[in-house]
């Protein structure tokens, strides 16, 4: 019945009030009752300050600390003295306050609340028999099992020997936890006997979150199934269901269990109909007759099974209370807990279960970060507050915080509550937040230099690195590379299209002639093979400084490379020329072709000396590979070029440019291979640091950089135009666009390279601009590979690579299928050795293309050591699959993909049906997003439930 005494004289003891316990205390004070805090032995001072912002004005008539040497009687005497002391403070006599209840304000206070309430003769769950240890997770399962309910298989002990037999017989993974910890403190999922043993010993040596040390460790089977929370409030054994929730857990960022939120379940649903009676049976088995409870339950294949029963209110700082009140129409667990202890009549008025349907639509969202960095600002949080469904937001980070990839609740950047009467509006807001997370829109991070490396032969660990440089993955890069996986489809009709157009032999006696190829590696090896297939001999010239490791960089499709002769570049061009003639002997040298970036300058000089087709090396054109010179030549020709400054050392020109130019800016070596050393710098300090660093690091082809180029950052889509020229006539072989997107916190992650139809307006602009660029650079003969950005003011050259496109020529078969039979490789050999064949090549590839396809660059959203690659099996079974190349294998360490160095492979897709290609691309992207490409070594994982996590750095915004 209703209590008729004056509430102001009635005192409620709250044992260890923190988190939601403070909200219960506040609700009691709102009803006019007085409260006293009781702090248990070992409860840390830090935890005492864990008060939700909404309860910051909470005050107690007094506080009592249970001292280490006190008995229960000592504590009771101290409480009596404190209540009388509190009375005297307001001018009242001793005995003014009457203790009417004793409630656990947090997990650590449960045992003492039971003892103290029993001692004081107020409502109590008691401590008789096994109920003295009802908070013990082992005891809970034993009591539930004795009641005939589904319980967890388990073993418990103070010594490892107590649990060893269980761990050797139980199927992994298994869960290890302290028997009496607070919520999920120390709970870990262990995937092997060794991990379990290590964590067992760890738990006995570390301090628990509430203070004190663990004395026993519980080992349990790992329950498979959805996890639910069932909140109750009880009085005299009558259990009222406050709410049923389900955790939204998904695999993300390499973790199998990332909490995305907590959703309410309709009490008439099939799930709730099973969960509610089971949970009430558990409460009865545990002797939980009074107060709030919070049961965590998994529905397994053989029914619901208790994870643990928390004999106190649902935690999480009570962030869920406004949502719960809206869902029920008026009440939540906090309110009904006060009823249970203070107003029996009101308690019995509360419905047995929440209404069906629920009175509102809503959920709690746990925010997920797909990026990492130091927070500069949090614009996404401001956007979330403006959503129509927004109720409440609690960030777990602030300006200056370090955000990590979310792999558990500890790394979640916060949570929010959404609620709306219109379910469609709510869904839109949830989808928007998830989109905001995916595009890394929650935060702006402090900037740092970003690699702008473009796809090349070293991207996926397929090439070699100079001595001393480390690869991100355990990969090989020679003909013996067993760790390098290449899978090629052998039965694709698209690959056989137009084979008659491929050139094989010329009409001359090629066996009496020889072709010089400088530094052949990557696609250069394919050119060598094409030359040899036409009957020509090949002499290789290795330029000075070209590393031995790079000489071994041979695409596996080329097999073993055999040359007529190999010559090392001499100290001067005259001697080098003599050595080439000597090597040729009676054979006539008919061409000199660059086989790689490092060989371009030598090919230009030697082709002049050898009196064969040449681009020349006179005047400024001797340095046409120099990126600064390229831009100067374009500017002189009246074409759009990049604003820039360069220096062989830090000088006034460079400093002035970097101080005046709009950031970000691009810094790169002037003569590097491809994108080696290219970096996007966001401020003056970053740019200056990278400028000096470039002179200290070895270039990818060997040697050191001699000049650094600083350029404006071009904004727009980036394209590649592959061309082959003969005597100034330029034939476009392919136009591609890079698919670049933001991912994992990086602004420019390559997702692929997509062919562009040559009849489109963008292709026409690019081809025209590229041909004019070749003319400005006097590139009259041979292959070229232009990287161009289509800016608001038109196309602008990033750089012209005066050789064939790289990437080991993985694109060759795709290009052949798109054109109907040829690629830049065959066209390059035509340009040097077969005038007639070159003349019949189209000026541009056919439109529409003869097939559909693209290169897909694989992106990892997870990190770890690889134990299996199931995604490869899925990819190679795709209908449009042609080719997979990756250096990631068992034993490799994969990181989150933030640039091309951390990309994990390349896939070529090709098919006659465009929809098939699109479908297969979507399949690959789903594999990536759901972390299905790789299986990683399963490290023991902390298992934090939302309800037990209390966000610390609270910056609370309450909007009701």
């Amino acid at each position: 019945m209703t209590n008729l005494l004056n509430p102001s004289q009635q005192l409620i003891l709250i044992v260890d009030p923190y988190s939601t316990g403070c909200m219960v205390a506040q609700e009691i004070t709102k009803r006019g009752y007085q409260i006293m805090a009781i702090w248990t032995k070992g409860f840390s001072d830090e935890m005492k300050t864990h008060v939700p912002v909404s309860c910051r004005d909470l005050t107690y008539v007094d506080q009592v600390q249970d001292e280490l040497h006190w008995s229960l009687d000592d504590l009771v005497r101290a409480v009596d003295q404190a209540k009388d002391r509190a009375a005297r403070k307001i001018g009242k006599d001793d005995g003014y306050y009457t203790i009417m209840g004793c409630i656990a304000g947090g997990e650590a206070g449960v045992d003492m609340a039971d003892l103290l309430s029993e001692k004081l003769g107020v409502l109590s769950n008691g401590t008789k028999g096994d109920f003295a240890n009802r908070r013990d997770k082992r005891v809970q399962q034993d009591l539930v099992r004795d009641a005939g309910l589904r319980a967890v298989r388990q073993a418990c002990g103070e010594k490892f020997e107590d649990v060893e037999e269980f761990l050797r017989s139980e199927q992994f993974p298994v869960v290890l936890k302290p028997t009496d910890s607070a919520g999920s403190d120390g709970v870990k999922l262990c995937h092997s006997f060794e991990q379990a043993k290590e964590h067992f010993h760890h738990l006995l040596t570390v301090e628990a979150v509430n203070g004190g040390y663990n004395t026993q460790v519980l080992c349990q089977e790992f329950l498979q199934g959805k996890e639910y929370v069932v909140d109750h409030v009880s009085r005299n054994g009558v259990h009222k269901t406050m709410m049923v929730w389900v955790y939204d857990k998904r695999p993300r960022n390499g973790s199998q269990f990332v909490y995305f939120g907590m959703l309410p379940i309709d009490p008439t649903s099939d799930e709730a109909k099973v969960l509610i009676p089971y949970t009430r049976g558990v409460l009865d088995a545990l002797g939980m007759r009074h107060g709030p409870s919070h049961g965590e339950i998994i529905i397994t294949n053989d029914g619901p099974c208790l994870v643990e029963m928390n004999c106190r209110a649902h935690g999480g700082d009570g962030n869920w209370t406004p949502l719960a009140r809206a869902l029920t129409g008026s009440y939540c667990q906090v309110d009904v807990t006060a009823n249970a202890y203070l107003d029996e009549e009101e308690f019995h008025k509360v419905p047995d279960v929440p209404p069906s349907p629920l009175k509102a639509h809503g959920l709690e969202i746990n925010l997920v970060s797909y990026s990492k960095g130091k927070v500069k600002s949090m614009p996404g949080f401001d956007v979330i507050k403006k959503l129509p469904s927004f109720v409440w937001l609690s960030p777990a980070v602030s300006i200056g915080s370090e955000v990590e990839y979310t792999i558990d609740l500890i790394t979640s950047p916060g949570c929010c509550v959404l609620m709306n009467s219109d379910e469609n509006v709510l869904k839109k807001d949830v989808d928007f937040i998830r989109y905001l997370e995916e595009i890394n829109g929650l935060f702006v991070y402090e900037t740092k230099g970003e690699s702008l490396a473009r796809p090349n032969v070293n991207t996926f660990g397929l090439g070699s690195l100079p001595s001393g440089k480390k690869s991100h993955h355990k990969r090989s890069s020679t003909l013996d590379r067993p760790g390098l996986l290449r899978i090629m489809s052998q039965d694709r009709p698209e690959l056989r299209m137009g084979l008659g157009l491929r050139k094989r032999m010329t009409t001359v006696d090629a066996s009496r002639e020889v072709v010089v190829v400088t530094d052949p590696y990557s696609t250069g090896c394919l050119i060598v093979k094409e030359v040899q297939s036409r009957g020509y001999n090949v002499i290789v010239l290795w330029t000075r400084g070209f590393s031995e490791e790079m000489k071994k960089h041979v695409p596996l499709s080329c097999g073993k490379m055999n040359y007529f002769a190999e010559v090392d570049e001499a100290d001067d061009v005259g001697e080098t020329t003599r050595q080439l003639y000597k090597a040729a002997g009676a054979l006539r040298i008919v061409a000199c072709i660059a086989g790689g970036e490092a060989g371009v300058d030598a090919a230009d000089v030697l082709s002049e000396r050898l009196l064969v087709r040449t681009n020349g090396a006179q005047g400024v054109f001797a340095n046409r590979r120099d990126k600064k010179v390229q831009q100067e030549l374009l500017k002189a020709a009246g074409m759009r070029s990049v604003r820039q400054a360069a220096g062989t050392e830090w000088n006034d020109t460079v400093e002035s440019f970097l101080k005046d130019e709009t950031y970000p800016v691009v810094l790169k070596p002037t003569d590097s291979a491809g994108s080696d050393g290219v970096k996007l710098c966001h401020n003056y300090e970053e740019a200056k640091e990278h400028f000096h660093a470039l002179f200290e690091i070895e270039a990818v082809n060997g040697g050191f950089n001699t000049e650094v180029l600083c350029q404006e950052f071009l904004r727009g889509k980036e394209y590649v135009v592959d061309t082959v020229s003969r005597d100034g006539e330029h034939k476009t072989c392919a136009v591609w666009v890079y698919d670049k997107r933001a991912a994992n916190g990086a602004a420019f992650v390559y997702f692929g390279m997509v062919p562009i139809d040559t009849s489109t307006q963008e292709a026409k602009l690019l081809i025209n601009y590229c041909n004019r660029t070749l003319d400005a650079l006097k590139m009259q003969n041979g292959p070229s590979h232009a990287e161009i950005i289509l800016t608001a003011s038109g196309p602008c050259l990033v750089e012209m690579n005066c050789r064939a496109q790289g990437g080991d020529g993985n694109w060759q078969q795709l290009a052949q299928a798109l054109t109907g039979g040829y690629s830049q490789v065959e066209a390059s050999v035509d340009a040097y050795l077969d005038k007639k064949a070159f003349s019949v090549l189209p000026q541009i590839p056919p439109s529409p293309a003869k097939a559909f396809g693209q290169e897909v660059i694989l992106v990892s959203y997870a990190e770890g050591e690889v134990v299996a690659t199931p995604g490869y099996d899925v990819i190679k079974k795709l209908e449009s699959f042609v080719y997979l190349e990756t250096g990631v294998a068992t034993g490799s360490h994969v990181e989150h993909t933030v640039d091309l160095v951390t990309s994990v492979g390349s896939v070529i897709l090709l098919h006659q049906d465009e929809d098939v290609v699109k479908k297969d691309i979507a399949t690959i992207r789903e594999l990536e997003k759901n972390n299905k490409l790789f299986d990683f070594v399963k490290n023991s994982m902390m298992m934090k439930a939302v309800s037990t996590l209390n966000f610390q750095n609270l910056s609370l915004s309450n909007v009701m």
Side-chain angles (χ1 to χ4, degrees), residues 88-113:
R88 291 194 294 271
K89 283 181 182 178
I90 60 172
K92 302 297 183 180
D93 296 332
D94 291 355
Y96 176 77
Y97 289 120
T98 300
I99 298 175
M100 298 299 298
C102 181
I103 307 174
E107 185 68 23
V110 170
D111 291 343
M112 179 52 70

Side-chain angles (χ1 to χ4, degrees), residues 121 320 346 422 471 508 525 594 598 661 671 687-688 696 719 723 729 758 777 788 793 839 854 886 895 898 908:
W320 42 269
E346 285 300 313
D422 189 330
S471 171
V508 299
C525 295
E661 182 62 31
D671 57 357
K688 186 174 182 179
E696 298 172 3
Y719 298 82
T723 307
E729 181 183 7
T758 53
L777 302 185
I788 300 168
S793 57
S839 68
Q854 72 166 80
T886 175
E895 298 179 12
V898 295
I908 300 295

Side-chain angles (χ1 to χ4, degrees), residues 134 136-145 149-154 177 220-221 223 227-228 230 275 278-279 281-283 285-286 294-300 303-310:
R134 65 165 58 84
D136 183 305
K137 298 175 178 65
R138 176 184 62 83
V139 171
Q140 288 185 355
Q141 297 294 338
D142 289 343
L143 290 170
V144 169
R145 186 178 295 105
L149 299 171
R150 167 75 160 96
V152 173
R153 295 189 301 275
Q154 62 183 15
K177 60 178 79 169
Q220 296 181 324
E221 70 169 300
L223 298 172
E227 186 175 3
Y228 298 82
V230 185
L275 289 163
Y278 175 85
T279 307
V282 169
L283 291 172
L286 301 185
H294 166 73
E296 293 167 355
I297 298 162
I298 288 178
I299 295 185
T300 69
C305 184
L306 180 71
V307 176
E308 60 188 72
M309 180 61 72
N310 301 282

